[in-house]
């Protein structure tokens, strides 16, 4: 399927042919192609922007990921400890245990910036901490998130001209370039649900 640029890292667990696997997925700065193993079942946890992992810096995960060793159907190993492999209903409880153990944490300054606030520190400090927490610049996060929102709006039937105005693109060609770079689809493909499977939630077109 088409892999879409994204600003969050996550944990993914899957089973195939009786074997269990786990890995850490990183932020992606461009579109690409992701394999979909036949017969595999997946559970994923996506972490909020600005959340970091103690064991692996987010910057090391950008456009990549890490396979977690010694994974079984019941447990996986992370940060020197063994944890129960979550089912979808267990994911939130697992994250809470990670937080209590100090394995994941969120930079409050990054959270402030994402809410539109202006922290009382220099711009250089903000950028340094933002990049440390996310692996990306603030500009890259804005561009990727804006392109994903544009794709969702177009798939929901919003005219391209309206999307340009609503999201602040310079014109439709600029929107088209952003979609090619970050989503891997044209405006027409999104509107017509064409181009094959895509790693983006476009359910809005069913309810809008």
């Amino acid at each position: 399927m088409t892999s879409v640029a994204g600003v969050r890292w996550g944990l993914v667990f899957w089973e195939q042919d009786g074997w269990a696997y786990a890995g850490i997925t990183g932020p992606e700065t461009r579109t690409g192609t992701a394999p979909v193993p036949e017969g595999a079942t997946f559970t994923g946890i996506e972490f909020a922007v600005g959340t970091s992992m103690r064991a692996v810096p987010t910057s090391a995960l950008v456009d990549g990921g890490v396979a977690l060793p010694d994974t079984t159907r019941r447990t996986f190993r992370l940060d020197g400890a063994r944890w129960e492999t979550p089912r979808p209903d267990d994911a939130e409880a697992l994250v809470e245990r990670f937080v209590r153990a100090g394995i994941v944490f969120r930079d409050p300054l990054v959270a402030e910036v994402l809410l539109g606030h202006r922290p009382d520190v220099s711009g250089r400090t903000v950028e340094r901490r933002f990049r440390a927490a996310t692996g990306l610049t603030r500009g890259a996060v804005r561009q990727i998130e804006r392109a994903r929102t544009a794709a969702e709006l177009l798939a929901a039937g919003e005219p391209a001209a309206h999307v340009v105005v609503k999201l602040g693109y310079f014109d439709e060609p600029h929107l088209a370039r952003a979609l090619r770079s970050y989503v891997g689809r044209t405006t027409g493909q999104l509107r017509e649900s064409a181009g094959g499977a895509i790693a983006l939630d476009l359910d809005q077109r069913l309810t809008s």
Side-chain angles (χ1 to χ4, degrees):
M1 67 178 175
T2 299
S3 175
V4 176
V7 299
R8 295 166 178 79
W9 65 274
L11 291 172
V12 60
F13 307 88
W14 72 99
E15 291 186 26
Q16 184 184 21
D17 298 329
W19 291 89
Y21 306 89
I24 308 171
T25 59
E28 296 180 73
T29 61
R30 56 187 179 272
T31 186
T33 302
V36 183
E38 187 175 352
T41 58
F42 291 83
T43 298
I45 302 172
E46 192 174 68
F47 289 81
V49 179
T51 303
S52 302
M53 180 177 292
R54 182 173 62 191
V56 185
T58 310
S59 58
L61 297 170
V62 175
D63 292 324
V66 176
L68 296 179
D70 198 19
T71 298
T72 72
R73 296 181 70 182
R74 293 182 177 274
T75 63
F76 67 99
R77 185 173 294 280
L78 178 66
D79 199 15
R82 185 160 285 284
W83 307 84
E84 286 187 29
T85 301
R87 297 181 297 275
D89 292 343
D90 302 327
E92 200 168 313
L94 177 63
V95 172
E96 289 175 358
R97 291 196 292 273
F98 284 165
V99 172
R100 289 198 298 270
I103 289 176
V104 297
F105 52 92
R106 194 175 189 196
D107 188 329
L109 183 143
V110 173
E112 259 191 270
V113 171
L114 291 170
L115 289 172
H117 301 155
R118 289 177 172 269
D120 189 22
V121 295
S122 70
R124 182 175 294 181
T125 297
V126 170
E127 191 62 45
R128 176 177 55 79
R129 286 177 56 176
F130 199 94
R131 187 185 285 271
T134 68
L136 305 169
T137 64
R138 284 186 289 170
V141 169
R142 282 195 299 268
Q143 291 172 26
I144 292 169
E145 292 281 68
R146 183 167 64 158
R148 291 172 67 101
T149 300
E152 292 165 357
L153 291 171
L154 290 165
E158 191 91 6
H162 293 184
V163 173
V164 167
V165 173
K166 184 177 290 186
L167 299 183
Y169 283 100
F170 184 73
D171 54 20
E172 289 190 37
H174 280 78
L175 168 62
R177 283 195 290 274
L179 292 173
R180 283 198 301 272
S181 297
Y182 299 126
V183 182
R185 289 287 188 276
T186 66
T187 298
Q189 286 174 323
L190 289 163
R191 187 176 292 121
E192 297 164 12
S193 302
I198 185 170
L200 186 66
D201 184 4
L202 299 178
D203 287 345
Q204 289 188 50
R205 66 174 177 269
L206 302 177
T207 57
S208 295

